[in-house]
Amino acid sequence: MVDDASTTRRGRGRPPGPPLDLARRRTLLLDAAEDALRTGGSDVGLGEVAKIAGLSRSAVYAAFADRDALLDALAARRSRRIVDDLGSVLSTITDPRDQTRAAVDILAAWFEEEPVLAPVLMSRLSHAGAGDGSILDALVGILRAGFAARGSDDAAAEPWAHAIVGAVSSTVTWWSRTATMPRAQVVDHLTDLIWAGFSGVTPSA
């Protein structure tokens, strides 16, 4: 295998050609990392990712400093996809409670579809892309709308969002392992819990 980070090794089924630019290489590695995690679980190393991508190990390190950097980038990409999905759903939903349920269901659906990959990335997901359309930012916006609908100060939106992300993460991780109830039921329970908090919220003076 060639060790020059600027050179790529032709992967199986990939035609020969000029070296990939860094952006394309990163995308190829992120796709390979997802495949590796799905089949090998959380202990997959960069060597396996490089093998799947058809690149040298040094090419991996040219794109990502270490395994943590690769996983953080993978979580950020997934976060953007989830926020995009949420944006599409919220464009047709105006009620804040229904918006909250939709957000919880998108996460639960991801765990249902990706039972190996989702738990690996979830702990990194809440802050992935923070300040640039992260899941946390999206939830803060939903909660602020909920406070506004009740004529209340929205100062609690951010701490509530952090607490909710933690609770939802823990619950959907447990649910994906145990499958003790249908997805719709666990989503309803989480939505009820979140919105029960609003029963104690009073309008601003």
Side-chain angles (χ1 to χ4, degrees), residues 6-37:
S6 66
T7 303
T8 61
R9 180 171 63 82
R10 183 168 64 90
R12 184 180 303 171
R14 187 156 60 87
L20 300 174
D21 62 32
L22 183 58
R24 175 59 184 146
R25 183 186 300 163
R26 285 174 62 90
T27 298
L28 189 65
L29 287 168
L30 291 175
D31 291 344
E34 284 195 346
D35 290 343
L37 288 167

Side-chain angles (χ1 to χ4, degrees), residues 25-55 60 64 66-75 77-78 81 114 116-118 120-121:
R25 183 186 300 163
R26 285 174 62 90
T27 298
L28 189 65
L29 287 168
L30 291 175
D31 291 344
E34 284 195 346
D35 290 343
L37 288 167
R38 287 187 186 106
T39 57
S42 60
D43 294 330
V44 166
L46 293 182
E48 181 62 22
V49 173
K51 181 179 178 181
I52 292 173
L55 299 173
V60 179
F64 300 101
D66 52 29
R67 185 175 180 276
D68 274 342
L70 175 62
L71 292 178
D72 284 343
L74 198 57
R77 184 171 76 166
R78 176 58 58 175
R81 289 176 178 174
E114 297 278 11
V116 177
L117 181 63
V120 174
L121 296 182

Side-chain angles (χ1 to χ4, degrees), residues 12 19 29 36 40 69 73 84 98 104 121 146 154-155 167 180 187 193 198 201:
R12 184 180 303 171
L29 287 168
D84 286 346
D98 290 341
V104 173
L121 296 182
D154 66 1
T180 55
V187 169
L193 175 64
F198 279 104
V201 173

